[in-house]
């Protein structure tokens, strides 16, 4: 398999990696509705909803928190990411290269690739919990960090090999399959909520409120789990996709939009996936806990199978697979930027191996909420750098796109904004006990301030240009 073969698979299409998207390639808002609906109704939803139950979120806190948090996320996409995307019409990586320089972007790509590997690994583990049902595989529990049995390791590695082989063949067919399966998965989540509520004894609006408050989201965390408040729900719903909105990763997607208003298209996706699906999967977990009293087992496959039978188990396999596959592919592309002379399929194979090994450790699933928060936090400062460069360069008197304007491959203001912001967030966590879910907001403002201050020193606008 060679680069020529890879180009043949992807059809030789021009993705405008280093040029602005031309007018004839722009798309309307409808083009983004289906994509965001599929992207936000995925394997992670089978984990996040049950984890809210495990952390003792109350029914009122969950509904209110998801309504507010998801609204803030939509506004972040529409008012922060989309205007820059439609003004510049460049990929995240190329914009960042012009601002921060190639050397800084290489480190960014490495961190991004590793985070993609771990996210894909958690989704392979999710699918493995369903694949293991016919073999009576011992499932991980909420407190497990390491694999419990050799059977789990073998199942995960085999599944990881299959997923990697598909990813090596290219993204095109995987993307088509995911788009076809997305509507079916959404229907499964709706069905899960209806069937699950029936199994919990809901027969009227009055009993619905009672069961929701006293059985499903009763405000009591499971043993070994911390209790989440409404603030945890709000900030997690807002920042679970922090890397994509205020972290600016979706500049690459939204650069194709005719208008910045296409950013509001994410509304359907997050409220289907991060509201309906999280609530539905929480109901599934409550049914599982009721049928397995005292069990600490936490496995999306058996949880879905308990309520929906084979259809539920199949949905878990497909949801995990359709999330893991493009994620491995994206990780490979991120590393391709660091090792441009190595064939893409070889890099993807290595990424798949790392991902499969990571998937052996159940902690990736049990700590998914923390991992998703960490992923966004690590990439967030560079989104703040792009925001500050776009909006404040002229107003604050420094040259936009510092690395490009100075013909340098390294930007000290961008690097220090990244490093010092993460150091600031670590300090808040270690010395003041601020949980990881709440670090993104103050960290973003700190990153903007550092970048503006250092850019004024490093890239000042000359008096002749200012005049």
């Amino acid at each position: 398999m060679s680069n020529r073969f890879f180009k043949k698979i992807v059809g030789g299409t021009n993705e405008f990696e280093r040029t602005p998207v031309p007018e004839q390639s722009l798309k309307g808002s409808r083009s983004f509705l289906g994509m965001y609906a599929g992207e936000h109704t995925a394997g992670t939803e089978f984990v996040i909803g049950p984890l809210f139950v495990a952390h003792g979120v109350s029914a009122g806190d969950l509904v209110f928190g998801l309504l507010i948090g998801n609204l803030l996320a939509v506004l972040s996409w529409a008012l922060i990411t989309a205007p820059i995307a439609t003004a510049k019409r460049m990929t995240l990586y190329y914009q960042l290269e012009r601002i921060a320089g190639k050397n800084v972007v290489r480190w960014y790509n490495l961190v991004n690739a590793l985070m993609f590997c771990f996210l894909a690994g958690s989704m392979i583990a999710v699918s493995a919990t369903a694949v293991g049902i016919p073999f009576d595989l011992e499932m991980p529990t909420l407190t497990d960090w390491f694999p419990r049995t050799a059977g789990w390791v073998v199942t995960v590695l085999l599944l990881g090999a299959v997923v990697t082989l598909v990813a090596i063949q290219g993204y095109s067919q995987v993307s088509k399959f995911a788009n076809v399966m997305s509507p079916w998965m959404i229907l499964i989540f709706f069905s899960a909520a209806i069937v699950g509520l029936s199994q919990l004894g809901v027969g009227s609006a009055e009993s619905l409120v009672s069961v929701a408050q006293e059985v499903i989201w009763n405000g009591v965390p499971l043993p070994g789990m911390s209790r989440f408040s409404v603030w945890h729900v709000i900030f997690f719903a807002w920042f679970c996709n922090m890397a994509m909105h205020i972290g600016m990763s979706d500049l690459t997607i939204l650069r194709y939009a005719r208008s910045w208003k296409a950013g509001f298209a994410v509304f359907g996706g997050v409220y289907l996936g991060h509201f309906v699906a999280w609530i539905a999967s929480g109901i599934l977990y409550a049914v599982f806990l009721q049928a397995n009293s005292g069990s600490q087992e936490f496995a999306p496959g058996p949880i879905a199978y308990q309520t929906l039978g084979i259809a539920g188990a199949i949905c878990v396999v497909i949801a995990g697979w359709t999330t893991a596959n493009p994620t491995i592919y994206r990780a490979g592309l991120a590393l391709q930027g660091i090792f441009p002379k190595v064939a893409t399929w070889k890099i993807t194979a290595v990424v798949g191996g790392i991902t499969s090994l990571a998937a052996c450790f159940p902690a990736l699933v049990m700590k998914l909420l923390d991992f998703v928060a960490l992923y966004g936090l690590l990439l967030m400062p560079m989104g703040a750098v792009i925001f500050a460069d776009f909006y404040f360069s002229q107003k604050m008197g420094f040259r936009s796109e510092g690395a490009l304007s100075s013909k340098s491959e390294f930007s000290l203001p961008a690097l220090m904004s990244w490093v010092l912001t993460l150091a600031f967030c670590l300090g808040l966590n270690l010395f003041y006990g601020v949980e990881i879910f709440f670090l993104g907001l103050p960290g973003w403002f700190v990153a903007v301030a550092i970048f503006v201050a250092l850019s004024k020193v490093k890239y000042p606008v000359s008096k002749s240009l200012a005049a």
Side-chain angles (χ1 to χ4, degrees), residues 6 26 33 38 53 59 93 100 160 182 188 214 229 250 328 368-369 432 442 446-447 455 458 464:
F6 179 76
L26 301 183
L33 283 171
V53 174
Y93 300 108
S182 294
I188 287 289
E214 298 173 13
S229 68
D250 270 2
I328 289 176
L368 184 64
L369 299 183
Y432 296 95
V446 167
S455 293
K458 182 69 175 176
S464 58

Side-chain angles (χ1 to χ4, degrees), residues 6-42:
F6 179 76
K7 289 178 181 178
K8 182 179 179 181
I9 289 175
V10 298
T13 56
N14 185 357
E15 296 295 334
F16 312 107
E17 291 94 340
R18 303 185 69 81
T19 57
V21 176
E23 176 71 24
Q24 62 268 25
S25 296
L26 301 183
K27 303 178 185 297
S29 296
R30 288 185 179 181
S31 299
F32 299 92
L33 283 171
M35 186 210 73
Y36 277 121
E39 182 176 340
H40 296 290
T41 308

Side-chain angles (χ1 to χ4, degrees), residues 217-283:
W217 303 282
N218 56 18
V220 180
L222 296 180
M225 306 297 287
S226 60
R227 188 183 185 282
F228 277 8
S229 68
V230 66
W231 292 108
H232 288 86
V233 180
I234 290 173
F235 272 81
F236 184 81
W238 184 8
F239 286 152
C240 65
N241 286 117
M242 189 191 327
M244 307 304 167
H245 47 72
I246 66 172
M248 298 292 175
S249 285
D250 270 2
L251 290 178
T252 303
I253 301 296
L254 291 170
R255 67 195 170 117
Y256 285 97
R258 291 191 183 280
S259 166
W260 65 269
K261 295 176 183 178
F264 286 106
V266 75
F267 180 91
V270 297
Y271 276 98
L272 277 174
H274 299 177
F275 187 82
V276 174
W278 287 358
I279 288 175
S281 60
I283 294 171

